[in-house]
Amino acid sequence: MAKGKNTPQSLDLASLSQEELLAKATELQASNEALVAKVSDLEKVIDELSQANTVKVTGNEISHEGKVFNLVTPRFYLGGQLITKEVLEADASLVAAAIEYGNLVEITKE
Amino acid sequence: MSLNVTSLKAAFGKAFGSGLMQKDLDTEFLVPSKTDAEFNLVPTELTQIRRAKTSVDQVLQAFQAAATPVGIVSIEPRSIDLQDLKYELELDPDEIEDSAVSFFADPDNNDRKSWGITKYVMNVLMIQKGRENFELHEAYKGVKAAIVPGSASALGASFNGLGKKIAEDIVSGAVTPVNGAAAWSTDPVDFVGELETWVEACKATSEINRSIIENMCDKIHMSQALAARFRLGMKLKYNVNYAQVGDPLSLFDTPNLSVSGLPSMSSRNRVFMTFKANRCAYIKRPKSEKDCGISEANPYKPMIYAKFWKALGYWHPEYVFVNQLV
């Protein structure tokens, strides 16, 4: 398996002095913390992306991209296709059209 | 003062004898109820009309000797409630005795309910105005408000009209709107295209709906402003070459459908399509609407009154096609 730049190199620990060992340990800890921070950043991005592409339905309210909408017409036809909240939940790409045609109206909360 | 002749007296003077005759009186222009006519107004003696819809699912199957019955027959109830309305107008006929319309008074007769003015207001003015009030404020736009005891209800708050029924049926899922344009174009040619696209979208919802629209539906109802836009659009879109459309209110691709503008739907963006037998309007006691009662609680102020019931709607919401705009 090819070694990446982050692959730990084998160390001859016995040949190192105590100071050198301490320095190595500090260096390893720092790189470990940096990695944890990167993973956490990535998780945030994944969260945001999944949030953007999901439709959450609660009763007659639909949340999408951090906004909450009211489904004015519980069932409607769009280009011959019957749209319900279940269909919107399964296919988030239809939400934009539903907003444009006035089937979904954003709820402004004070 | 429920009979206002102040300006008449100011202009033509008092005690003028019989200066005018009934032929000299022009009635204000009143809009007749087109919606009543388009929804086939029928008199009834009932306050709720009932029907039922029968249906059966699959009945056809491949042959086999074993008995394998299929098909469920359903009979579903349909009902329309009539809503009660009234006219009530009080007159003080003595106001006209010393005016240019004194021919309407009958001083030798104490019975003011038989004076000409009372008959004229009852038979000519009130009934026609009532129909106009119904058409412009109640037939489509009416949303009945709670009765305030002792106060007359406001215009538009006396009857639950067609618009409210459609809105309620959309929320309950009985009527499924077919999305048309996100907003109707103000360009007549574009509007014709948008309406044609909407009708095609209605047909595309199912083969049953396609058959209903192409064979049974006769009219698309909308506001008169939208109907006028459609008419102009048809002229500009199709009637510029040899093959011209005979009726600029009927659709080019679905000629059995024609556009009908209703005064009741003014300033609304909704379009409504169903077949004639599905549209219905009822009136209970039409004689009462025409032959009003006259009360003489105060002999100098006869009160003309009439109570009647009306309903306006459709039987089968599943055969009603509307767009998503209101």
Side-chain angles (χ1 to χ4, degrees), chain A residues 3 13 21-22 28 46 50 52 61 66 69 71 73 82 96 110:
Chain A
K3 285 179 181 174
L13 293 172
L21 275 172
L22 201 59
L28 277 171
I46 289 166
S50 59
E61 287 186 6
F69 300 91
L71 192 54
T73 51
L82 180 64
E110 288 172 16

Side-chain angles (χ1 to χ4, degrees), chain B residues 22-185:
Chain B
Q22 190 167 344
K23 68 176 172 53
D24 304 319
L25 299 180
D26 299 324
T27 314
E28 69 165 319
F29 182 78
L30 295 162
V31 179
S33 184
K34 189 178 176 187
T35 310
D36 269 353
E38 296 271 303
F39 278 68
N40 325 314
L41 186 69
V42 171
T44 177
E45 285 300 313
L46 307 168
T47 55
Q48 187 189 57
I49 315 286
R50 292 178 173 178
R51 293 178 80 90
K53 184 192 169 193
T54 59
S55 60
V56 56
D57 60 358
Q58 179 197 346
V59 291
L60 185 69
Q61 58 172 314
F63 176 76
Q64 58 176 299
T68 53
V70 290
I72 299 167
V73 174
S74 309
I75 302 178
E76 295 164 45
R78 297 282 190 270
S79 65
I80 287 177
D81 289 317
L82 279 78
Q83 303 169 50
D84 45 353
L85 296 156
K86 70 171 179 178
Y87 302 143
E88 214 169 83
L89 195 153
E90 192 183 70
L91 281 178
D92 38 7
D94 291 78
E95 284 290 324
I96 59 162
E97 253 192 295
D98 59 347
S99 79
V101 288
S102 61
F103 71 92
F104 260 151
D106 186 2
D108 295 335
N109 187 353
N110 270 326
D111 181 9
R112 277 151 181 80
K113 70 178 189 291
S114 60
W115 282 20
I117 183 71
T118 314
K119 302 264 184 204
Y120 176 76
V121 170
M122 181 169 80
N123 296 324
V124 180
L125 280 180
M126 194 179 74
I127 302 294
Q128 303 301 327
K129 187 67 182 181
R131 289 177 186 161
E132 181 190 78
N133 282 165
F134 183 77
E135 176 69 15
L136 297 184
H137 301 280
E138 311 288 355
Y140 185 86
K141 298 174 188 167
V143 178
K144 190 171 179 175
I147 297 287
V148 178
S151 299
S153 63
L155 279 179
S158 311
F159 180 85
N160 286 325
L162 188 64
K164 181 172 162 45
K165 182 176 168 64
I166 293 171
E168 283 176 351
D169 280 351
I170 287 175
V171 169
S172 76
V175 169
T176 308
V178 179
N179 279 2
W184 293 126
S185 172

Side-chain angles (χ1 to χ4, degrees), chain B residues 182-204:
Chain B
W184 293 126
S185 172
T186 50
D187 180 273
V189 175
D190 289 348
F191 175 63
V192 169
E194 287 169 352
L195 198 72
E196 287 169 338
T197 307
W198 178 74
V199 171
E200 288 307 315
C202 291
K203 291 182 194 174

Side-chain angles (χ1 to χ4, degrees), chain A residues 63-84:
Chain A
S63 353
H64 180 62
E65 291 182 339
K67 290 176 181 171
V68 184
F69 300 91
N70 186 33
L71 192 54
V72 184
T73 51
R75 290 150 51 88
F76 58 96
Y77 284 103
L78 188 60
Q81 189 192 351
L82 180 64
I83 313 284
T84 59

Side-chain angles (χ1 to χ4, degrees), chain B residues 37-41 212 215-219 221 272-281 313-315 319:
Chain B
E38 296 271 303
F39 278 68
N40 325 314
L41 186 69
I212 289 170
N215 299 303
M216 291 173 72
C217 285
D218 55 341
K219 285 182 179 171
H221 290 106
F272 171 93
M273 170 170 69
T274 192
F275 46 91
K276 191 176 179 186
N278 199 22
R279 298 192 295 269
C280 61
Y314 42 81
W315 286 112
Y319 302 142

